[in-house]
Amino acid sequence: QLVESGGGLVQAGGSLRLSCVASARTFSNYRVGWFRQAPGKEREFVAYISRSGTSTDYADPVKDRFTISRENAKKSVYLQINNLKPEDTAVYYCAAGSSTIWSARRGPSAYGYWDQGTQVTVSS
């Protein structure tokens, strides 16, 4: 089970930190992805972090503004979002999966566990 928090309404240029806490005993065995879905659009990949946290990947629209990190001892993953833009408005999802295939990291199908999502709204 994954529980996410940290969403909300923020002005453009502001920052948010999303947190995702897992209940799995062996959370360090799972790699984690963040995805988002805007109204009327498909769910899209945002960021990825490996099981150890040493490898990360970002979608081009968020590169240099978003930072993914994790603390396995706390069974937590974070998404720091800076310089928010109105186009970042979406429901954000945290997902965990046990796949080790690098090329699959950006696909929703590589993740078997999803949280309930949290709304991020950016006003201009």
Side-chain angles (χ1 to χ4, degrees), residues 82-120:
N82 297 327
N83 190 22
L84 276 156
K85 303 177 180 181
E87 52 264 41
D88 293 321
T89 295
V91 176
Y92 283 71
Y93 297 90
C94 167
S98 57
S99 171
T100 58
I101 302 173
W102 171 251
S103 61
R105 68 195 182 282
R106 294 189 172 198
S109 61
Y111 302 89
Y113 302 93
W114 292 79
D115 77 323
Q116 78 285 359
T118 190
Q119 178 70 47
V120 172

Side-chain angles (χ1 to χ4, degrees), residues 26 29 32 61 89 97 102:
T26 55
N29 288 345
V32 175
T89 295
W102 171 251

